[in-house]
Amino acid sequence: MRKGILGIFLASIVLSNFAFHLRLEAAGINTNVALPVPKGRFILRTQTRYTRMTSDPSGTGRRLHLLEIPNVLVFGATARMALFSILPVLYRDLNITTPRRTAGLGDLAFLMRYEIYKRDWVLRTLRIALFGGLEVPSGDSPFSSGSVDVPLGFVATFQSHRQEVDLDLSYKMNTEGSGVDHGDDFIYNVAYQLRVFPWYLPEEGVPNQLNTVLELNGRFTQRDEAAGLSLANTGGNILFLSPGLQYVMKRVILETSFQYPVAKDLNEAQLESTWAVNGGIRMQF
Amino acid sequence: MRSGFLSVRHSLMIVLFGLISLCCISEISAETGRVVLHLKGVSCPFCVYGVEKRLKKVPGIQEVKTDYKAATSTVSKNPKAAIDLQALEEAVRQAGFTMDRIDLSMRGSPTVWEGKPALKDPESGQVFLLVEPDKDHVHELLDPKKWSEIQRETNVEVQGEAHPHVGSPPAIAVRKYKRMP
């Protein structure tokens, strides 16, 4: 019984409090986008994200260091439809009274994104897409939720040669797993990008470009339940401000961002994120 | 020391002349058709790669060069291959973007196709109807005065917007034409 409660407690720290969520083929670094994937082509994306959680309202000095490596493979099934498979690898260093280090796979995700609106101009585009899919448990991994969950979402992107704005809203229906009925997630992101180099485009060729990125990444989670009872220290809302940089080439994108929580409203005495940093690479082939 | 019919020097000159001739023919062939695709929606370098990869898959296309600021991709083709305008447009569509228009610069000899003014590419044998630039999306056959000027020549270069047709040759809405040597 005690081990079960401790397991729920640890899972809730990891699953309900960190900033990572399903990032598809995001052109915003932590925000999904509606930009197309050419038919028959692949994009591979990997990131390394470090999250530091040392804000402990309970006063017991809990500390968590979380390293996530989400790997995303995207395939352009048609000009409008892209298929995603996401495999996160996680490493956790949790210190309550004694350190506990754990590594393993997170839940696997399989998603489809379908473009429902497109308007193209010269050097500008507006796209709107819906996405949905399944998250499935990754077996005996300590990071597996044990439940089959259903994410559904909406993304909109306006991109010009100079700027980009992305809006990403999604709702994840979390089901019961490992004896816990996990609370649903509502994820809301908005991103703005500005090309700063080159400031003026050359007359010929395709220049590599450097973008500055600023995002607001938020997540609201319902309380978990077990045996019909709401669980304490679960659920709440957190909003990150995420400045970043992106270097965009024809075939490869390099990116990095820093995330700082600017609004936190977590229930009871949950361990809170102090900050997070990530770096990643995207390649198409 | 002389060889049977030709000295070594004469043989070298013949080989050199042949190589130069081949280069000239290649140069002319390379200029037979220049296709410029005007694109919409391509608004980042990462997007350009996907468009170029799909265009390179179109049969007969050898090279694609994109100018991001101009929002154009210029394709060069195998001189002996016909230009498939519909396949080029479809390639851009499958990359997830929109083709605005195709500009063509074609060198050939004036001919007639089913009584209509046309231009024939000597390398590929492809025929293009010659029409006036469109007014309200209606293409009229080339102005008779322009046609009579073009018909006097054996080798002309025609520039204009290309339009695919189903069941008949593609057309060039002629903006410019000039006599070629």
Side-chain angles (χ1 to χ4, degrees):
Chain A
M1 174 69 171
R2 197 178 289 179
K3 277 186 185 173
I5 291 173
L6 182 61
I8 291 165
F9 174 71
L10 292 174
S12 69
I13 289 173
V14 174
L15 295 174
S16 64
N17 200 11
F18 60 84
F20 168 70
H21 89 104
L22 289 171
R23 283 186 300 273
L24 307 181
E25 176 255 311
I29 302 168
N30 304 290
T31 302
N32 295 317
V33 300
L35 295 173
V37 179
K39 180 181 174 182
R41 306 222 63 84
F42 289 90
I43 296 174
L44 179 63
R45 185 187 192 192
T46 188
Q47 284 187 326
T48 301
R49 160 191 290 276
Y50 168 73
T51 304
R52 184 182 173 89
M53 297 178 180
T54 54
S55 301
D56 185 2
S58 74
T60 57
R62 292 172 296 173
R63 302 169 77 83
L64 180 88
H65 304 275
L66 184 65
L67 189 68
E68 304 160 70
I69 305 175
N71 302 290
V72 185
L73 183 64
V74 191
F75 175 66
T78 71
R80 290 185 150 195
M81 185 194 299
L83 303 175
F84 299 77
S85 59
I86 303 168
L87 175 65
V89 177
L90 296 104
Y91 172 80
R92 178 181 64 206
D93 183 355
L94 173 64
N95 196 326
I96 303 178
T97 50
T98 53
R100 299 163 193 252
R101 296 193 178 98
T102 325
L105 297 178
D107 288 353
L108 309 177
F110 302 96
L111 300 164
M112 180 189 77
R113 186 189 69 197
Y114 190 81
E115 181 183 278
I116 59 171
Y117 178 81
K118 173 179 91 168
R119 177 84 194 269
D120 285 340
W121 300 266
V122 175
L123 292 175
R124 288 182 297 159
T125 187
L126 172 63
R127 307 288 175 114
I128 299 174
L130 303 177
F131 66 87
L134 286 177
E135 276 186 30
V136 298
S138 52
D140 293 333
S141 165
F143 299 99
S144 175
S145 66
S147 62
V148 176
D149 306 323
V150 180
L152 297 168
F154 158 95
V155 289
T157 295
F158 175 76
Q159 186 186 57
S160 75
H161 64 92
R162 169 80 71 195
Q163 304 176 77
E164 179 176 329
V165 178
D166 306 293
L167 175 65
D168 163 25
L169 304 171
S170 63
Y171 189 84
K172 188 156 70 102
M173 292 177 279
N174 293 319
T175 62
E176 185 176 330
S178 307
V180 176
D181 191 356
H182 299 292
D184 292 351
D185 292 314
F186 172 61
I187 297 148
Y188 50 100
N189 299 307
V190 63
Y192 173 73
Q193 290 184 42
L194 176 71
R195 188 188 85 233
V196 294
F197 180 84
W199 188 254
Y200 297 108
L201 290 175
E203 294 301 319
E204 291 184 2
V206 183
N208 298 337
Q209 65 185 51
L210 180 67
N211 298 333
T212 55
V213 184
L214 189 62
E215 298 173 275
L216 283 170
N217 306 117
R219 182 186 190 109
F220 171 78
T221 306
Q222 293 177 330
R223 282 186 185 274
D224 295 345
E225 289 184 1
L229 298 173
S230 293
L231 295 177
N233 297 305
T234 62
N237 185 60
I238 189 163
L239 180 67
F240 290 83
L241 181 67
S242 313
L245 287 173
Q246 210 178 48
Y247 188 67
V248 183
M249 297 167 267
K250 277 170 77 171
R251 198 170 173 195
V252 174
I253 295 176
L254 303 173
E255 56 201 4
T256 183
S257 83
F258 177 81
Q259 292 192 295
Y260 186 77
V262 293
K264 289 186 274 191
D265 184 19
L266 301 175
N267 295 328
E268 289 80 53
Q270 293 179 64
L271 191 57
E272 297 175 353
S273 293
T274 314
W275 49 265
V277 65
N278 70 38
I281 181 169
R282 268 181 267 186
M283 178 180 281
Q284 56 180 331
F285 53 96
Chain B
M1 179 177 159
R2 289 178 185 269
S3 61
F5 287 97
L6 297 169
S7 67
V8 171
R9 184 202 274 183
H10 285 143
S11 302
L12 278 173
M13 284 175 66
I14 289 169
V15 168
L16 193 60
F17 179 74
L19 283 171
I20 292 170
S21 301
L22 276 173
C23 291
C24 291
I25 290 169
S26 300
E27 181 63 30
I28 291 167
S29 299
E31 293 299 318
T32 303
R34 184 169 165 267
V35 187
V36 181
L37 314 179
H38 293 256
L39 307 171
K40 283 183 174 177
V42 178
S43 41
C44 76
F46 204 64
C47 306
V48 169
Y49 182 81
V51 173
E52 290 184 341
K53 291 298 280 189
R54 287 229 64 99
L55 286 172
K56 281 178 185 168
K57 284 184 179 299
V58 174
I61 299 301
Q62 292 180 324
E63 203 180 314
V64 180
K65 180 183 171 289
T66 301
D67 291 317
Y68 182 49
K69 185 179 180 184
T72 59
S73 283
T74 302
V75 302
S76 56
K77 67 173 185 77
N78 180 333
K80 295 197 184 312
I83 299 171
D84 188 341
L85 299 174
Q86 286 171 315
L88 290 172
E89 189 163 357
E90 180 63 11
V92 171
R93 194 192 69 76
Q94 288 187 355
F97 301 98
T98 307
M99 180 90 82
D100 186 18
R101 70 176 195 273
I102 302 175
D103 284 344
L104 198 54
S105 174
M106 177 61 60
R107 186 183 298 186
S109 49
T111 186
V112 174
W113 185 85
E114 294 189 358
K116 298 169 189 167
L119 189 75
K120 184 174 179 179
D121 175 1
E123 294 281 334
S124 65
Q126 188 175 16
V127 172
F128 290 84
L129 295 175
L130 300 179
V131 298
E132 286 290 317
D134 74 13
K135 293 173 186 172
D136 302 323
H137 304 289
V138 174
H139 290 115
E140 296 176 355
L141 293 176
L142 193 66
D143 179 80
K145 186 180 172 194
K146 289 181 195 170
W147 175 233
S148 68
E149 286 176 13
I150 289 174
Q151 262 189 315
R152 283 187 215 125
E153 311 299 338
T154 55
N155 191 16
V156 295
E157 182 180 274
V158 170
Q159 295 177 16
E161 186 176 338
H163 299 274
H165 290 137
V166 176
S168 63
I172 302 176
V174 179
R175 285 197 299 266
K176 276 195 247 183
Y177 56 91
K178 63 181 179 184
R179 174 176 166 270
M180 301 302 296

